[in-house]
Amino acid sequence: LKQETKPEEESAAGTKSKAGEAAKEETPADGKKVQLRIGWWGNAERDKLYYKINDLFMAENPNVEIITSSPGWNDYWVKIATDYASGNAPDIVQFQANQIGEYCPKGVLIPLDPYIDSGVINLDNWNMEFVDTGKYKDKLYMVTIGITAQAMFLNKTWIEELGFEVWDFEKSISWDEFEKLMIDIQKKLPEGTYAGLDFYNNSDLAWIWIRQHSPAGIEWVGKDGKFAPSIETLEGWYALCDRLRKAGAFPPIEWTQEWSARPWQDGAIVSRKVLYRAENANKYKLFTEYAEDDIVIRRVQSDPGALNPNAELLITSAFGISDTSENKDIAAKY
């Protein structure tokens, strides 16, 4: 397996794979292999899983050599945008449903419906509601491979040491209750630590806030093509973040940027720099693996007095095939 990520000793996203070793004896006589390029946003655990998938595929297809690229989340989107702009995108690219409206209108992905109709891509027994999140204008461009949702991550050990309690898993708290809790906790914390990691630039959590405080059916862009959420709704979101910063419960912006960029195993909640952060639920295992304290997960804050009190946002991850790919049939098989 060729890869563009760094080796494990240099980068958490670069776990080496031995993919293809089992298939070496079955390599075609002429020695030529089709190169299939795959891109995803990486971390050590995700890389290991995908490398195993690649192993299986190359064992079944000895004429294929898989080349991977898996930078971290932020670097990934810069790279993919650059790759598409230069016409050098991987054959298979990982997206979230959030990016459908950005990439599909540009014609950089192909519809997958013909491969589904032919049976190459088999969606029997799949949850079709999840599958449908990969559709754009009634055509399927992305196959959903996973789903997650925003959640609250809390250091239960530390919270209880400070004399507070964590509510039961089945319950939720309101934004007002959350704000008061963060401010009350901050009063008991040592200097240089904070009740929570600022979420002002967490677009998924912000979108939950927007859905809670907007009329039903509000999307980012309305039928007139204009930005749909109201100014008042956005002001409410940033005012909440501003109040928590001014109260000292959230750190300064510079501190947030520094600690948000660190790998999970050395992050703020694992290192006892904050005792709350908003995060996708699927990352829970990673945080609990590296933290010595008891990290628990809870439902996102609700607003009982809002138009849509909960309005959780389900986030899907999916694979699509680039229009520039010279190996679309193999990519569909993968």
Side-chain angles (χ1 to χ4, degrees):
L1 175 70
K2 292 184 179 179
Q3 59 180 38
E4 298 170 17
T5 47
K6 296 179 180 179
E8 186 173 10
E9 61 270 22
E10 298 180 35
S11 169
T15 305
K16 283 274 191 177
S17 172
K18 297 181 180 180
E21 290 186 358
K24 285 182 178 178
E25 296 179 2
E26 302 177 27
T27 301
D30 60 9
K32 294 182 179 180
K33 292 189 176 185
V34 176
Q35 291 188 339
L36 187 68
R37 298 170 58 215
I38 305 175
W40 66 81
W41 54 87
N43 63 66
E45 296 304 315
R46 186 190 303 272
D47 289 346
K48 290 176 184 177
L49 178 62
Y50 284 7
Y51 290 152
K52 289 180 181 179
I53 295 171
N54 294 346
D55 283 343
L56 293 172
F57 187 80
M58 287 189 289
E60 294 179 0
N61 301 272
N63 64 317
V64 176
E65 176 185 45
I66 293 179
I67 301 174
T68 72
S69 176
S70 56
W73 171 262
N74 292 328
D75 293 336
Y76 175 79
W77 293 111
V78 174
K79 176 173 173 51
I80 289 301
T82 303
D83 286 347
Y84 275 118
S86 64
N88 190 41
D91 300 286
I92 298 172
V93 177
Q94 185 168 354
F95 292 93
Q96 288 186 333
N98 298 346
Q99 285 84 38
I100 286 181
E102 180 179 357
Y103 283 89
C104 289
K106 298 176 181 177
V108 298
L109 297 173
I110 65 168
L112 302 177
D113 304 87
Y115 292 107
I116 296 170
D117 294 340
S118 67
V120 173
I121 296 177
N122 186 346
L123 298 180
D124 291 348
N125 299 320
W126 283 51
N127 183 315
M128 295 312 296
E129 291 184 352
F130 292 173
V131 171
D132 286 346
T133 64
K135 284 187 174 181
Y136 176 76
K137 293 187 175 180
D138 296 325
K139 292 184 178 180
L140 188 70
Y141 287 87
M142 305 177 188
V143 175
T144 299
I145 58 174
I147 191 164
T148 187
Q150 278 283 299
M152 302 177 72
F153 284 39
L154 299 159
N155 187 323
K156 185 173 183 290
T157 304
W158 197 5
I159 290 175
E160 291 178 346
E161 286 177 6
L162 296 172
F164 297 90
E165 293 184 0
V166 177
W167 55 101
D168 293 338
F169 180 79
E170 294 78 10
K171 298 180 179 180
S172 62
I173 63 172
S174 69
W175 288 103
D176 290 342
E177 291 171 326
F178 167 79
E179 183 176 355
K180 182 179 185 303
L181 176 64
M182 292 290 100
I183 294 173
D184 289 345
I185 285 176
Q186 187 61 41
K187 296 174 182 178
K188 295 190 175 184
L189 289 176
E191 185 177 355
T193 59
Y194 302 91
L197 190 65
D198 200 340
F199 45 51
Y200 74 98
N201 62 348
N202 182 326
S203 59
D204 293 328
L205 194 62
W207 182 234
I208 293 173
W209 171 277
I210 290 170
R211 295 177 74 188
Q212 288 176 343
H213 296 84
S214 301
I218 285 290
E219 302 293 344
W220 282 114
V221 179
K223 292 181 179 180
D224 57 0
K226 297 181 179 179
F227 188 64
S230 70
I231 294 297
E232 292 75 17
T233 300
L234 295 177
E235 286 178 341
W237 169 254
Y238 288 112
L240 168 66
C241 301
D242 188 53
R243 289 195 303 272
L244 287 165
R245 278 195 299 272
K246 288 179 177 178
F250 278 4
I253 295 292
E254 296 80 6
W255 193 100
T256 299
Q257 295 292 352
E258 176 188 348
W259 279 91
S260 296
R262 297 196 179 197
W264 298 324
Q265 60 267 31
D266 189 35
I269 195 167
V270 172
S271 304
R272 269 207 176 201
K273 293 295 184 180
V274 302
L275 49 75
Y276 157 83
R277 71 170 290 164
E279 192 54 85
N280 286 342
N282 64 303
K283 298 178 183 177
Y284 179 63
K285 180 180 177 181
L286 293 171
F287 283 99
T288 56
E289 181 179 346
Y290 292 111
E292 294 183 4
D293 292 337
D294 182 16
I295 306 296
V296 297
I297 190 170
R298 292 294 185 269
R299 188 176 186 176
V300 165
Q301 301 91 320
S302 64
D303 194 333
L307 294 169
N308 307 291
N310 295 307
E312 275 96 342
L313 176 68
L314 298 181
I315 307 161
T316 60
S317 294
F319 274 137
I321 299 175
S322 298
D323 182 65
T324 54
S325 172
E326 297 179 357
N327 303 299
K328 296 181 178 67
D329 292 347
I330 296 175
K333 186 178 180 181
Y334 179 91

